[in-house]
Amino acid sequence: MKDCRDQVRSILANLGIPTELIEKKSLVLCAEADELVIAALGDDGREHRLAPVAAAAWATMSSAARSDAVIIKIASAFRSIDRQAEIVRGKLAQGLAVSAILSASAPPGYSEHHTGRAIDITTHGVAPFALEFEDTPAFAWLTANAARFGFVLSYPPGNPYGYQYEPWHWFYRADSG
């Protein structure tokens, strides 16, 4: 993974995100993955890319879920630092305050999606990125089984980073060194 500190500092300054806020939340800098592979295709044909080790774990996990009659699908995977900056810029343009944005979105450079190991998961019958995901058989299955495949729920209620609860956001931690 390449050193992205200078790029991130510049982007944060451009967006008006103070480094003190990053430090206060104890956020961890997340460099972009060096290598990505297609882990899945979305229903819209969009390619969801992950680091090879996370893609392999995803394939095994989603297959195991299917064997248990549970459908899990990727709603979002790798996201570049520049793409994360675009997302934050869009929210700023809508008039949202930085504090409100950072309760729901990681600042550029601090999103687990940059690593190629984070996935946002969805299933049939629920909109992607909806809290209702926690009421689905897919979430119950993930809660009981995801750890066997190296995935953990990153942002449970009351997480130390101050992010809103995201039952759909899972991170591949196995062998992450």
Side-chain angles (χ1 to χ4, degrees), residues 19-76:
T19 55
E20 297 80 28
L21 188 58
I22 305 295
E23 292 166 6
K24 181 181 176 187
K25 292 170 78 81
S26 299
L27 299 180
V28 177
L29 188 66
C30 296
E32 290 183 356
D34 287 330
E35 182 182 359
L36 297 166
V37 297
I38 298 170
L41 290 176
D43 293 338
D44 60 359
R46 189 170 129 211
E47 295 178 347
H48 297 294
R49 297 178 181 273
L50 291 171
V53 67
W58 165 256
T60 303
M61 183 170 75
S62 61
S63 177
R66 268 192 313 278
S67 294
D68 290 338
V70 174
I71 301 299
I72 54 176
K73 302 186 299 183
I74 296 177
S76 180

Side-chain angles (χ1 to χ4, degrees), residues 5-19 22 81-82 84-90 92-93 98 101 107-108:
R5 285 178 285 204
D6 290 339
Q7 174 192 15
V8 169
R9 264 193 293 274
S10 174
I11 290 171
L12 293 177
N14 179 268
L15 293 171
I17 299 174
T19 55
I22 305 295
I81 291 170
D82 288 335
Q84 193 74 13
E86 289 174 17
I87 291 168
V88 172
R89 271 189 208 96
L92 287 168
V98 168
I101 294 168

Side-chain angles (χ1 to χ4, degrees), residues 38-160:
I38 298 170
L41 290 176
D43 293 338
D44 60 359
R46 189 170 129 211
E47 295 178 347
H48 297 294
R49 297 178 181 273
L50 291 171
V53 67
W58 165 256
T60 303
M61 183 170 75
S62 61
S63 177
R66 268 192 313 278
S67 294
D68 290 338
V70 174
I71 301 299
I72 54 176
K73 302 186 299 183
I74 296 177
S76 180
F78 172 78
R79 189 177 309 135
S80 71
I81 291 170
D82 288 335
R83 175 66 184 125
Q84 193 74 13
E86 289 174 17
I87 291 168
V88 172
R89 271 189 208 96
K91 291 180 179 188
L92 287 168
Q94 293 172 6
L96 293 174
V98 168
S99 60
I101 294 168
L102 297 186
S103 72
S105 297
Y110 296 88
S111 172
E112 290 180 338
H113 287 286
H114 303 332
T115 68
R117 291 172 173 261
I119 50 177
D120 293 330
I121 300 175
T122 190
T123 191
H124 297 299
V126 65
F129 318 109
L131 283 176
E132 292 79 16
F133 180 72
E134 78 172 338
D135 299 322
T136 66
F139 181 73
W141 189 93
L142 287 164
T143 300
N145 296 286
R148 289 190 297 131
F149 304 95
F151 287 92
V152 296
L153 181 66
S154 295
Y155 307 119
N159 65 79

